RNA sequence: GGGCCCGUAGCUCAGCGGUAGAGCAGUGGACUUUUAAUCCAUCGGUCCAGGGUUCGAAUCCCUGCGGGCCUACCA
């Protein structure tokens, strides 16, 4: 359960009525805050820190090694443990670099020692003093002076079980980060993955760009968009579902290598693998085709894994994913035939294909198109088996409207998807740059949409106009960053790799209390 | 959307038809080298919400809210 908002801030007064525990804890800390304020500002703007926690420890060890005197340091951080024992106290102080112990002694601190009783776990503290090593060997700051940098008003999660309630972990991620080392580690790995991706593309001469999130048409993928409204223009706009069509406009504009790491939004369900907003990496390279892109993706994954985890053998559950060996390469038709015995060229119409799918236990909606049925067979029967990185080349052109057809077989698109640990990691094409063909394909999709398929591509006339000016042949790539991070961390849920995953709206707060709180607030001046 | 599981103190959990519990945190006390400090004492509950069954409900039933997993949907 979540803490309630401090609607009780206007204290209910010392009427002796039993206060709820949480409120009582809050009130105690508020009182300590007041008392600290009498001795100085409990929220000063500047600190006099000279060393991070880990720097302080290192400085002492260096001095020790060279026989110099013990350094005097000022450290600052959050109090994560507090051991008071009569006339001595030990505090664990944690900052972004790590932890350092601070000792306070009555004979050194005098009156300031008594004020230590106003400290709680969670407060931020600054302490200055000489470093020494305790009897148990720990490098410690012997405080000659200290002050509070931030008084915390709510208690931190319990010190060794931490916080496990998944809901609280997601809704109050800061508590999760305080309590759970693993959550901090995942966040860092994600940051490292993104940084590594950027370095990779920079080194290859790609330019990073930003394209609009609010769009007239949400194109470039098949997904339901979010709709919003622009008041001044009095017009509905869509949140983008991909980056594709704007990046291609940049190829037309003359930038040969562009990429974007951008948030996209898809109005779909939420589950272990899907979050309504997620980060997409897309890159476009002129004068390259999808085979060039495949080679690049392989290099990219190795690079990221090497930089992030140091190993090209990535553990995922019971599986070890090997990124070092050349990735398996197969084709859509061959893979499907090998895994299910279904050769789709033998089923050119929906009815027969549907029957073949049903014979293999795959059932689809009545309205499903030929491509949809095929995709369903693939994703339920084949994709989950693709644990090791596997390139699947040459998708049916039917459901690849933005890809170029193969020169020797127009029923096939120059497209590949890369799979690992059972799901799609990357999707790439030799990009369709024939404006006539592209217009036909988009119109086809648009009629599907008119026919009730609200996830079909929309015809983006502005994009088609751009295409008519000529786009160089190019290889394009899309990678779901969260899925890549899941692979790199071994996490099975996308919510673990998104700091603030989408959650339902919180339940209405306890009846009556909010109104009462508001009344008190509005009556506050009376 | 469907199925299963969960919701008890600030945190982690026990209790599962008969007076609401433990550890940690808090408060008071002892303690000048602790580090899950220790020891003594103590405060703390809308048992998610609403309805029902029952002499009696945290416990059983129904509904709702929130969460998790599975499934469906999902380029």
């Amino acid at each position: 359960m979540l803490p309630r908002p401090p609607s009780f801030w206007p204290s209910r007064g010392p009427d002796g009525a039993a206060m709820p525990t949480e409120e009582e804890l809050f009130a105690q800390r508020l009182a300590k805050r007041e008392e600290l304020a009498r001795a100085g500002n409990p929220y000063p703007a500047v600190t006099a820190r000279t060393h991070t926690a880990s720097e302080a420890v290192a400085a002492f060890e260096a001095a020790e090694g060279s026989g110099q005197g013990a350094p005097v340091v000022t450290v600052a951080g959050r109090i994560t443990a507090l051991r008071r024992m009569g006339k001595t106290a030990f505090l664990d102080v944690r900052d972004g670099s790590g932890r350092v112990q601070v000792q306070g002694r009555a004979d050194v601190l005098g009156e300031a020692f008594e004020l230590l009783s106003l400290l709680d776990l969670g407060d931020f503290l600054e302490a200055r003093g000489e470093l020494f090593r305790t009897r148990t060997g720990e490098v410690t700051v012997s405080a000659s002076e200290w002050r509070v940098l931030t008084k915390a008003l709510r208690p931190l999660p319990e010190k060794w079980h931490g916080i496990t309630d998944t809901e609280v972990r997601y809704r109050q991620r800061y508590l999760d980060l305080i309590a759970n080392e693993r959550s901090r580690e995942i966040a860092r790995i994600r940051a490292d993955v993104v940084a590594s991706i950027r370095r990779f593309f920079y080194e290859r001469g790609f330019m990073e760009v930003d394209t609009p999130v609010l769009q007239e048409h949400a194109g470039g993928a098949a997904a339901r968009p979010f709709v919003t409204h622009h008041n001044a223009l009095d017009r509905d706009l869509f949140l983008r579902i991909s980056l594709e069509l704007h990046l291609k406009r940049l190829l037309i504009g003359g930038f040969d290598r562009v990429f974007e790491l951008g948030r996209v939004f898809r109005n779909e369900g939420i589950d272990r693998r899907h979050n309504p907003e997620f980060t997409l990496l897309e890159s476009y390279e002129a004068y390259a085709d999808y085979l060039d892109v495949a080679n690049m993706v392989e290099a990219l994954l190795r690079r990221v894994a090497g930089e992030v985890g140091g190993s090209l053998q990535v553990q995922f559950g019971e599986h070890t994913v090997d990124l070092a060996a050349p990735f398996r390469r197969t084709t859509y038709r061959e893979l499907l035939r090998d895994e299910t015995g279904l050769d789709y060229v033998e089923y050119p119409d929906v009815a027969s294909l549907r029957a073949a799918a049903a014979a293999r236990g795959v059932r689809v909606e009545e309205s499903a198109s030929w491509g949809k049925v095929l995709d369903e067979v693939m994703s339920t029967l084949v994709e989950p088996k693709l644990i090791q990185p596997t390139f699947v080349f040459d998708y049916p052109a039917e459901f690849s409207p933005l890809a170029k057809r193969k020169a020797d077989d127009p029923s096939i698109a120059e497209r590949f998807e890369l799979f690992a640990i059972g799901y799609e990691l990357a999707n790439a094409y030799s990009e369709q740059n024939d404006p006539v063909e592209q217009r036909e394909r988009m119109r086809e999709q648009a009629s599907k949409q008119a026919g009730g398929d609200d996830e079909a591509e929309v015809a983006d006339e502005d994009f088609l106009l751009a295409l008519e000016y000529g786009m160089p042949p190019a290889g394009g790539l899309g990678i779901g960053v969260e899925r890549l991070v899941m692979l790199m961390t071994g996490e099975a849920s996308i919510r673990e790799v998104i700091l603030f995953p989408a959650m339902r709206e919180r339940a209405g707060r306890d009846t009556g209390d909010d109104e009462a709180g508001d009344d008190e607030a509005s009556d506050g001046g009376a």
Side-chain angles (χ1 to χ4, degrees), chain A residues 450-473:
Chain A
D453 184 352
D454 57 358
E455 284 166 12
E457 232 12 274
V458 295
D460 184 338
E461 284 299 331
D462 187 68
F463 170 70
L464 290 169
L465 172 69
L467 212 52
E468 286 164 359
Y469 285 92
M471 184 179 90

Side-chain angles (χ1 to χ4, degrees), chain A residues 352-428:
Chain A
S352 63
L353 183 67
R354 175 191 299 280
R360 289 164 180 80
V362 177
R363 288 161 52 194
V364 287
E365 290 174 25
E366 279 301 313
S367 61
S369 64
W370 184 87
K372 180 85 179 169
V373 175
L374 200 57
D375 191 46
E376 194 61 28
V377 174
M378 194 70 173
S379 55
T380 57
L381 259 32
V382 182
E383 290 176 10
K385 294 182 183 172
L386 302 177
I387 302 302
Q388 296 303 321
T390 303
F391 283 114
V392 181
F393 289 96
D394 297 347
Y395 276 61
E398 156 98 9
F399 51 90
S400 308
L402 297 169
K404 221 189 243 298
R405 295 176 191 270
K406 278 182 93 84
D408 57 355
D409 183 352
S411 73
I412 302 289
E414 291 207 355
R415 170 186 186 181
F416 74 78
E417 291 194 351
L418 173 65
F419 292 87
I421 54 177
Y423 55 70
E424 177 195 341
L425 260 187
N427 183 22

Side-chain angles (χ1 to χ4, degrees), chain A residues 36-45 147-149:
Chain A
L36 283 166
R38 281 196 279 276
N41 181 4
Y43 302 92
R147 63 173 177 156
V148 169
L149 295 179

Side-chain angles (χ1 to χ4, degrees), chain A residues 494-510:
Chain A
I494 197 170
R495 312 180 106 194
E496 292 297 340
V497 305
I498 293 176
L499 282 170
F500 300 99
M503 302 286 282
R504 254 175 230 263
E505 191 179 3
R506 262 165 72 177
R509 305 237 166 71
D510 304 338

Side-chain angles (χ1 to χ4, degrees), chain A residues 217 219-220 244-246 248-250 252 401-403 431-447 457-471:
Chain A
H217 308 282
E244 179 147 356
L245 301 185
H246 279 91
K248 285 178 176 173
R249 286 172 169 93
L250 296 176
I252 295 163
L402 297 169
E431 300 296 339
Q432 179 57 269
N433 64 343
D434 176 345
V436 175
E437 165 88 8
Q438 185 65 83
R439 182 182 299 276
E440 279 171 21
R441 299 306 305 277
M442 279 192 165
R443 288 209 169 136
E444 198 179 283
Q445 293 287 317
S447 69
E457 232 12 274
V458 295
D460 184 338
E461 284 299 331
D462 187 68
F463 170 70
L464 290 169
L465 172 69
L467 212 52
E468 286 164 359
Y469 285 92
M471 184 179 90

